[in-house]
Amino acid sequence: MAGKHTKRGFVIREACEEDLPEMVGFLAKLALHVSGAPPHDLKESERKRLLRTLHSSLDDPNKLLLVAENKNSGLVGMGYVYIWRSQGIWEQSESKEFKSGVIDDIWVEPEFRGHGILKALLRDLVTFAEEHHASELILEYSASNKEAKAAWTKLGFKPTGVRAAAFTSVVKQALTESQG
C-alpha cells in the first residue's frame, strides 16, 4: 500500500519499524484520553511490551498498522486492524469460518482532528478487511468517550453488546461477601 497524498497535507501509509516508538506514544495518549488520567510517562516495561506487540504486527499478513504523516509535523495519527477468525457456535449444517476486521486502536492528534485523517485511515483499514474477506468491522470505545461515540456512530457503527470490567480483587471481595 503506497502512501497517498491528500489535499490537506498528510499521507496515510503502512507503518515501519522507525514509526513504532511514536506509535507507542500515541497508544499512551489514547489510554490517558480514555481514562481521563493526567499525562504521565509509561513504565519502561510497558513501553517495551507495546513496542514488541507493534513490531510483531508489522510482518503479519492478517494485521495492518497505518500511520498518518503530515509533511511539516511528522506522524499525527495511527490506525490498526487485524483479521479475527471464528467458527459459528450455534448448530450448523456445515462448518463455516467467520471473519471480522477488528479495529484495535485508532488515534489522531487533537490539533489534526477535523481534517479527514480519521476517515482516510478508516478507508484503508476497511479496504484491508474487505481484501481479507471480513464481513464485519468490530471496535471498542469507552462508554464515557462521547467524542468517539459520536464519530463511530456517524460512520455507521452501532453498539451490539456490553463489555464490563472489574478488578479481580473487587470480584473476589463480592464473592466472599455473598457467601454469608
Side-chain angles (χ1 to χ4, degrees):
M1 179 180 301
K4 298 173 193 155
H5 294 273
T6 70
K7 295 175 187 172
R8 298 188 189 237
F10 63 86
V11 174
I12 304 297
R13 62 171 174 80
E14 286 190 39
C16 61
E17 193 161 349
E18 294 76 28
D19 299 325
L20 299 183
E22 197 157 354
M23 293 175 76
V24 167
F26 290 158
L27 293 175
K29 289 177 185 180
L30 177 59
L32 292 172
H33 176 73
V34 168
S35 71
H40 62 274
D41 291 331
L42 283 176
K43 292 180 183 176
E44 185 61 19
S45 60
E46 180 63 2
R47 189 186 69 72
K48 286 181 179 177
R49 185 191 70 77
L50 289 170
L51 278 171
R52 282 192 307 272
T53 299
L54 291 174
H55 188 269
S56 71
S57 299
L58 288 177
D59 295 324
D60 188 324
N62 292 301
K63 296 178 180 179
L64 178 63
L65 287 173
L66 296 175
V67 291
E69 187 171 26
N70 176 278
K71 59 186 173 188
N72 299 320
S73 302
L75 298 187
V76 297
M78 65 171 283
Y80 175 43
V81 66
Y82 65 88
I83 304 303
W84 178 52
R85 291 170 171 78
S86 64
Q87 299 293 320
I89 59 172
W90 310 113
E91 281 190 39
Q92 300 177 44
S93 59
E94 58 188 68
S95 178
K96 181 170 174 129
E97 181 180 67
F98 298 95
K99 292 183 183 178
S100 302
V102 180
I103 299 172
D104 201 19
D105 293 301
I106 196 159
W107 175 260
V108 176
E109 291 283 69
E111 61 270 26
F112 290 91
R113 293 179 187 163
H115 297 275
I117 294 172
L118 173 69
K119 286 182 181 177
L121 285 165
L122 194 55
R123 257 185 225 102
D124 287 355
L125 297 176
V126 169
T127 298
F128 179 84
E130 284 180 323
E131 289 170 351
H132 286 77
H133 308 288
S135 59
E136 67 177 351
L137 296 171
I138 300 171
L139 59 82
E140 292 182 5
Y141 58 86
S142 173
S144 64
N145 190 341
K146 306 293 185 220
E147 184 180 11
K149 180 180 181 179
W152 294 119
T153 300
K154 191 174 181 179
L155 292 167
F157 287 87
K158 295 179 171 98
T160 58
V162 174
R163 178 179 180 200
F167 289 107
T168 308
S169 59
V170 171
V171 175
K172 185 176 179 180
Q173 181 179 349
L175 289 169
T176 301
E177 292 171 359
S178 69
Q179 288 179 349

